[in-house]
Coordinates of all heavy atoms in Angstrom, one line a residue:
I1 N 61.1 -13.6 37.4 CA 61.1 -12.9 38.7 C 61.8 -13.6 39.7 O 61.6 -14.8 39.9 CB 59.6 -12.6 39.1 CG1 58.9 -11.8 38.0 CG2 59.5 -11.9 40.4 CD1 57.4 -11.6 38.2
F2 N 62.6 -12.9 40.5 CA 63.3 -13.5 41.7 C 62.5 -13.3 43.0 O 62.4 -14.2 43.8 CB 64.7 -12.9 41.9 CG 65.7 -13.2 40.8 CD1 66.2 -12.1 40.1 CD2 66.0 -14.4 40.4 CE1 67.1 -12.4 39.1 CE2 66.9 -14.7 39.4 CZ 67.5 -13.7 38.8
G3 N 62.1 -12.1 43.2 CA 61.4 -11.7 44.4 C 60.8 -10.4 44.4 O 60.9 -9.6 43.4
V4 N 60.0 -10.1 45.5 CA 59.3 -8.8 45.6 C 59.6 -8.2 47.0 O 59.5 -8.9 48.0 CB 57.8 -9.0 45.4 CG1 57.0 -7.7 45.5 CG2 57.5 -9.6 44.0
L5 N 59.9 -6.9 47.0 CA 60.0 -6.1 48.2 C 58.9 -5.1 48.3 O 58.4 -4.6 47.3 CB 61.3 -5.4 48.3 CG 62.6 -6.2 48.2 CD1 63.8 -5.3 48.3 CD2 62.7 -7.2 49.3
N6 N 58.5 -4.8 49.6 CA 57.5 -3.8 49.8 C 58.2 -2.4 49.6 O 59.5 -2.4 49.5 CB 57.0 -3.8 51.2 CG 56.2 -5.1 51.4 OD1 55.4 -5.5 50.6 ND2 56.3 -5.7 52.6
G7 N 57.5 -1.4 49.5 CA 58.0 0.0 49.3 C 59.1 0.4 50.3 O 59.9 1.2 50.0
D8 N 59.0 -0.1 51.5 CA 60.0 0.2 52.5 C 61.2 -0.6 52.5 O 62.1 -0.5 53.3 CB 59.3 0.2 53.9 CG 58.9 -1.2 54.3 OD1 59.1 -2.2 53.6 OD2 58.3 -1.4 55.4
G9 N 61.3 -1.5 51.5 CA 62.5 -2.4 51.3 C 62.4 -3.7 52.1 O 63.3 -4.5 51.9
S10 N 61.3 -3.9 52.8 CA 61.2 -5.2 53.5 C 60.7 -6.3 52.6 O 59.9 -6.0 51.6 CB 60.2 -5.1 54.7 OG 58.9 -4.8 54.2
P11 N 61.1 -7.5 52.7 CA 60.6 -8.6 51.9 C 59.1 -8.8 52.1 O 58.6 -8.7 53.2 CB 61.3 -9.9 52.4 CG 62.5 -9.3 53.1 CD 62.1 -8.0 53.7
N12 N 58.4 -8.9 51.0 CA 56.9 -9.1 51.1 C 56.7 -10.5 51.6 O 57.3 -11.5 51.1 CB 56.3 -8.9 49.7 CG 54.8 -9.1 49.8 OD1 54.3 -10.2 49.7 ND2 54.1 -8.0 49.9
S13 N 55.7 -10.6 52.5 CA 55.4 -11.9 53.1 C 54.0 -11.8 53.8 O 53.5 -10.7 54.0 CB 56.4 -12.3 54.2 OG 56.3 -11.5 55.3
P14 N 53.4 -12.9 54.2 CA 52.1 -12.8 54.9 C 52.3 -12.0 56.2 O 51.3 -11.3 56.6 CB 51.7 -14.2 55.2 CG 52.4 -15.0 54.1 CD 53.7 -14.3 53.8
A15 N 53.4 -12.0 56.8 CA 53.7 -11.2 58.0 C 53.9 -9.7 57.7 O 53.8 -8.9 58.6 CB 54.8 -11.8 58.8
A16 N 54.3 -9.4 56.5 CA 54.6 -8.1 56.0 C 54.0 -7.9 54.6 O 54.7 -7.8 53.6 CB 56.1 -7.8 56.0
P17 N 52.7 -7.8 54.6 CA 52.0 -7.6 53.3 C 52.1 -6.2 52.8 O 52.3 -5.2 53.5 CB 50.5 -7.9 53.6 CG 50.4 -7.5 55.0 CD 51.7 -7.8 55.7
A18 N 52.0 -6.0 51.5 CA 51.9 -4.7 50.8 C 50.5 -4.1 51.0 O 49.5 -4.9 50.9 CB 52.3 -4.8 49.3
A19 N 50.4 -2.9 51.2 CA 49.1 -2.2 51.3 C 48.6 -1.9 49.9 O 49.4 -1.7 49.0 CB 49.2 -0.9 52.1
R20 N 47.3 -2.0 49.7 CA 46.7 -1.6 48.4 C 47.1 -0.1 48.2 O 47.1 0.7 49.1 CB 45.2 -1.8 48.4 CG 44.9 -3.3 48.4 CD 43.4 -3.5 48.4 NE 43.0 -3.2 49.8 CZ 41.7 -3.1 50.1 NH1 40.7 -3.4 49.3 NH2 41.4 -2.8 51.4
G21 N 47.5 0.2 47.0 CA 47.9 1.6 46.6 C 49.4 1.8 46.9 O 49.9 2.9 46.5
S22 N 50.1 0.9 47.5 CA 51.5 1.1 47.8 C 52.4 0.6 46.7 O 52.0 -0.1 45.8 CB 51.9 0.4 49.1 OG 51.9 -1.0 49.0
M23 N 53.7 1.1 46.7 CA 54.6 0.7 45.7 C 55.3 -0.6 46.1 O 55.6 -0.8 47.3 CB 55.7 1.8 45.6 CG 56.6 1.7 44.4 SD 55.8 1.9 42.8 CE 55.3 3.6 42.9
I24 N 55.5 -1.5 45.2 CA 56.4 -2.7 45.4 C 57.5 -2.6 44.4 O 57.5 -2.0 43.4 CB 55.6 -4.0 45.3 CG1 55.0 -4.1 43.8 CG2 54.5 -4.1 46.3 CD1 54.3 -5.5 43.6
Q25 N 58.6 -3.3 44.8 CA 59.8 -3.5 43.9 C 59.9 -4.9 43.5 O 60.0 -5.8 44.4 CB 61.0 -3.0 44.7 CG 61.0 -1.6 45.1 CD 62.1 -1.3 46.1 OE1 62.9 -2.2 46.5 NE2 62.2 -0.1 46.5
I26 N 59.8 -5.2 42.2 CA 59.9 -6.5 41.7 C 61.3 -6.7 41.1 O 61.8 -5.8 40.4 CB 58.9 -6.7 40.5 CG1 57.5 -6.5 41.1 CG2 59.0 -8.1 39.9 CD1 56.4 -6.4 40.0
Y27 N 62.0 -7.7 41.5 CA 63.4 -8.0 41.1 C 63.4 -9.2 40.1 O 62.8 -10.2 40.5 CB 64.3 -8.1 42.2 CG 64.6 -6.8 42.9 CD1 63.8 -6.5 44.0 CD2 65.5 -5.9 42.4 CE1 64.0 -5.2 44.7 CE2 65.7 -4.7 43.0 CZ 64.9 -4.3 44.1 OH 65.1 -3.1 44.7
A28 N 64.0 -9.0 39.0 CA 63.9 -10.0 37.9 C 65.2 -10.0 37.1 O 66.1 -9.2 37.3 CB 62.7 -9.8 37.0
T29 N 65.2 -10.8 36.1 CA 66.2 -10.7 35.0 C 65.5 -10.9 33.7 O 64.3 -11.2 33.6 CB 67.3 -11.8 35.3 OG1 68.4 -11.6 34.4 CG2 66.7 -13.2 35.1
G30 N 66.3 -10.7 32.6 CA 65.7 -10.9 31.3 C 65.1 -9.7 30.6 O 64.2 -9.8 29.8
Q31 N 65.5 -8.5 31.0 CA 64.9 -7.3 30.5 C 65.4 -6.9 29.1 O 64.8 -6.1 28.5 CB 65.2 -6.1 31.5 CG 66.6 -5.5 31.4 CD 67.6 -6.4 32.1 OE1 67.3 -7.2 32.9 NE2 68.9 -6.3 31.7
G32 N 66.4 -7.5 28.7 CA 67.0 -7.2 27.3 C 67.7 -5.9 27.4 O 68.2 -5.4 28.4
A33 N 67.8 -5.2 26.3 CA 68.6 -4.0 26.1 C 68.0 -2.8 27.0 O 66.8 -2.7 27.1 CB 68.7 -3.6 24.7
V34 N 68.8 -2.0 27.5 CA 68.4 -0.8 28.2 C 69.1 0.4 27.7 O 70.2 0.3 27.1 CB 68.7 -0.9 29.8 CG1 67.9 -2.0 30.4 CG2 70.2 -1.1 30.0
G35 N 68.6 1.6 27.9 CA 69.2 2.8 27.6 C 70.3 3.1 28.6 O 70.2 2.7 29.8
N36 N 71.4 3.8 28.3 CA 72.5 4.1 29.2 C 73.0 2.8 29.8 O 73.2 2.7 31.0 CB 72.1 5.1 30.2 CG 73.2 5.5 31.1 OD1 74.3 5.8 30.5 ND2 73.1 5.6 32.4
P37 N 73.4 1.8 29.0 CA 73.8 0.5 29.6 C 75.2 0.7 30.2 O 76.1 1.4 29.7 CB 73.9 -0.4 28.4 CG 74.1 0.5 27.2 CD 73.4 1.7 27.6
P38 N 75.5 0.1 31.4 CA 76.8 0.1 32.0 C 77.7 -0.9 31.2 O 77.2 -1.7 30.5 CB 76.6 -0.4 33.4 CG 75.4 -1.2 33.3 CD 74.5 -0.6 32.2

């Protein structure tokens, strides 16, 4: 994992926490094979 953004695209931080029940975006590497690979 590299980092996490809140659902609105802002970086997650103590000043900008995610709400319970909200969507977060986790950015990482190492997923292996995917369907429809570019």
Side-chain angles (χ1 to χ4, degrees):
I1 301 174
F2 294 123
V4 179
L5 298 181
N6 294 322
D8 64 3
S10 65
N12 182 278
S13 70
R20 290 177 288 174
S22 70
M23 190 68 66
I24 59 171
Q25 299 166 356
I26 301 166
Y27 288 96
T29 190
Q31 76 285 337
V34 294
N36 188 43

